């Protein structure tokens, strides 16, 4: 059986403790992954710190050349990496290729950092005095990433960190760890020096070691809100910069003037794609007024049409959940919703896929007449369950969203420009789509929600990513003529 090892200083590093990696489509163990703790984290830090000495002094051209080469290797190996992700996560290969593409966009943004990193210069701010500024890397930084996007979310972090001159330690999810090692090998082939990118596998011991390590300057995290709060608290208490992105409960509002077929198509994909295991998944459809009955009818039909099966099979639209525990949690949530008064319009529980009866499959579920007091609304289920909440007006829909503790993403389906403008100005959410169900911004914008979806104030990638992984210097200079006498004052200096 294959054992997935750490990647430190340009080569695989073994370990003694291991955990199982499952194939979600069969329910069978397919590999083992080593689990590291403080010693392995420190070994990775030492390698990264040593590499930082030269990498931070490398030219911007050298760094972007590596990024261009790395980007091309991601293109050439997209299918292979997609199948690796599908085999360990369960999502379809097409969906996996999609996440690689969205991650690659951040690499492309990193290829253009020469323009983004340009400082500014002010001539003659005082007599014979000029001022300019520039940004420098922090040092050794780390990323702690979730299972649901084993390629994309790390790619939102390390290309920008590395291109700005930092060195990086990645702690991926131990549930689907192979993508991280594959990316490490692509970096090596792209010419990245040893020690600049390292992978440490493990669980809470590895996370806590990263958060407490005195030499790691910054930590990026994506995961659930309780863990995001823990990461933010622990890392900041040890003097680190922190990006901590948490959970979500994303609403899609449908107005009576919307094209219901169009809206239902996109909401179905947004709710059930990747088996709902996305922090930007549509988990609540808010049906306004007369839109409700027609929307539920179309959504029910489309939910029943979703093709569920192993992710590598052509034509499959939704694969299994990541673990047996996740499958049981989601199916229990549907049962609890029914006892609390929701109408189970489509019941995905108990689905068996022929030839994969032990896989972690559950079908799409659609719940109607859900209220804000029900568990199915309050909890982030992270599975293929779509809840319908009925309201009378757009203002009521906005109030429902704003009362929710999360503020990651939301969408509005409408033909009214006035309604769309009112919605995007009034709703308390960080990322908004108008007739777009999953409004993940492009790489040259930053990703981050409001409220409990973002702990602290540091979104990820884009301009905010540049600021997070660098710190500014402002330089004030005077070059007097050799014979010039310039008197010095004892008062606070001014620009006179």
């Amino acid at each position: 059986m294959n054992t997935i090892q750490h990647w430190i200083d340009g080569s695989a590093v073994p370990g003694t403790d291991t955990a199982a990696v499952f194939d979600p489509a069969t329910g069978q163990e397919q590999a083992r992954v080593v689990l590291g703790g403080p010693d392995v984290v420190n070994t990775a830090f030492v390698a990264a710190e040593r590499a930082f000495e030269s990498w931070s002094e490398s030219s911007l051209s050298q760094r972007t050349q590596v990024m261009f080469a790395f980007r091309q290797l991601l293109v050439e190996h997209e299918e292979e990496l997609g199948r690796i992700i599908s085999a360990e996560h369960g999502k379809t290969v097409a969906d996996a290729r999609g996440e690689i593409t969205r991650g690659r966009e951040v690499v492309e943004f990193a290829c253009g950092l020469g323009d983004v990193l340009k400082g500014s210069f002010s001539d003659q701010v005082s007599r014979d005095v000029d001022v300019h500024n520039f940004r420098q890397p922090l040092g050794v930084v780390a990323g702690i990433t979730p299972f649901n996007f084993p390629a994309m979310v790390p790619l939102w972090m390390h290309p920008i960190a590395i291109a700005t001159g930092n060195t990086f330690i990645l702690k991926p999810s131990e549930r689907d760890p192979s993508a991280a090692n594959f990316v490490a090998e692509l970096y090596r082939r792209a010419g990245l020096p040893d020690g600049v990118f390292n992978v440490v596998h493990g669980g809470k011991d590895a996370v806590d070691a990263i958060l407490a390590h005195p030499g790691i300057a910054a930590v990026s995290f994506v995961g659930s809100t309780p863990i995001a709060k823990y990461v933010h608290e622990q890392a900041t208490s040890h003097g680190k910069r922190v990006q901590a992105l948490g959970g979500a409960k994303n609403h899609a509002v449908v107005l009576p003037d919307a094209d219901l077929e169009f809206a239902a198509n996109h909401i179905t994909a947004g709710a059930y794609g990747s088996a709902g295991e996305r922090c930007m998944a549509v988990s609540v459809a808010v049906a306004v007024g007369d839109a409700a009955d027609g929307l539920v009818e179309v959504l029910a039909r489309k939910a029943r049409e979703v093709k569920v099966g192993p992710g590598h099979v052509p034509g499959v639209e939704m694969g299994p959940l990541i673990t047996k525990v996740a499958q049981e949690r989601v199916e229990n949530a549907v049962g609890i919703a029914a006892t609390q008064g929701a109408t189970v319009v489509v019941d995905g529980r108990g689905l068996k896929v022929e030839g994969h009866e032990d896989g972690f499959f559950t079908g799409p579920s659609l719940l109607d007449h859900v209220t804000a007091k029900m568990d199915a609304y309050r909890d982030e289920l992270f599975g293929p369950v779509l809840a319908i909440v009925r309201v009378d007006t757009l203002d009521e829909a906005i109030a429902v969203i704003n009362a929710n503790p999360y503020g990651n993403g939301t969408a509005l389906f409408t033909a009214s420009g006035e309604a769309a403008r009112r919605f995007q100005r009034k709703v308390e959410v960080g990322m908004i789509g108008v007739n777009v169900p999953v409004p993940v911004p492009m790489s040259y914008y930053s990703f981050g929600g409001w409220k409990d979806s973002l702990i602290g104030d540091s979104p990820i990638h884009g301009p905010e990513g540049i600021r997070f992984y660098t710190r500014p210097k402002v330089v004030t200079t005077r070059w007097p003529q050799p014979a010039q006498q310039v008197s010095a004052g004892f008062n606070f200096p001014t620009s006179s």
Side-chain angles (χ1 to χ4, degrees), residues 135 138 160 241 446 462-472:
R135 305 189 72 88
L138 303 178
I160 295 177
R241 287 190 181 185
S446 296
E464 296 290 345
I466 300 294
R467 284 190 281 271
F468 180 77
Y469 289 121
T470 60
R471 51 190 168 189

Side-chain angles (χ1 to χ4, degrees), residues 16-194:
T16 52
D17 294 336
T18 64
V21 178
F22 289 92
D23 179 347
T26 65
Q28 302 301 309
E29 181 178 338
Q30 62 174 318
R32 305 291 296 182
V33 59
V34 298
L35 302 177
D39 290 346
V40 175
V41 169
N42 190 61
T43 299
F45 169 77
V46 170
E49 184 182 43
R50 184 170 55 247
F52 178 74
E53 295 177 10
S54 58
W55 182 248
S56 61
E57 295 296 329
S58 62
S59 70
L60 189 56
S61 295
Q62 179 184 350
R63 287 182 244 149
T64 54
Q65 284 172 6
V66 169
M67 285 297 151
F68 274 110
F70 177 58
R71 184 260 177 203
Q72 184 58 35
L73 288 167
L74 283 172
V75 172
E76 294 172 1
H77 294 276
E78 181 181 286
E79 180 71 19
E80 185 178 358
L81 180 54
R83 291 189 177 278
I84 288 171
I85 294 168
S86 177
E88 290 185 351
H89 175 277
K91 66 176 66 178
T92 67
V93 175
D95 191 25
R97 290 200 305 265
E99 77 159 275
I100 296 164
T101 299
R102 294 309 302 267
R104 192 175 69 232
E105 290 168 358
V106 178
V107 182
E108 292 163 357
F109 177 70
C111 289
L113 286 192
D115 182 66
V116 180
L117 284 177
K118 285 190 301 187
S120 58
F121 183 91
S122 296
D123 175 69
Q124 199 75 353
V125 298
S126 185
R127 186 176 298 277
D128 299 327
V129 175
D130 308 321
V131 177
H132 72 278
N133 72 331
F134 61 98
R135 305 189 72 88
Q136 289 186 308
L138 303 178
V140 179
V141 299
I144 302 167
T145 57
F147 74 86
N148 58 328
F149 288 102
M152 184 184 75
V153 169
L155 283 166
W156 285 359
M157 301 173 183
H158 52 73
I160 295 177
I162 291 169
T164 51
N166 300 279
T167 54
F168 200 90
I169 300 170
L170 173 62
K171 206 301 287 184
S173 171
E174 64 275 23
R175 298 177 188 175
D176 46 6
S178 294
N181 287 38
F182 190 87
V183 166
E185 172 61 20
L186 295 187
Y187 264 133
R188 186 193 66 79
R189 292 174 55 184
L192 190 69
D194 293 345

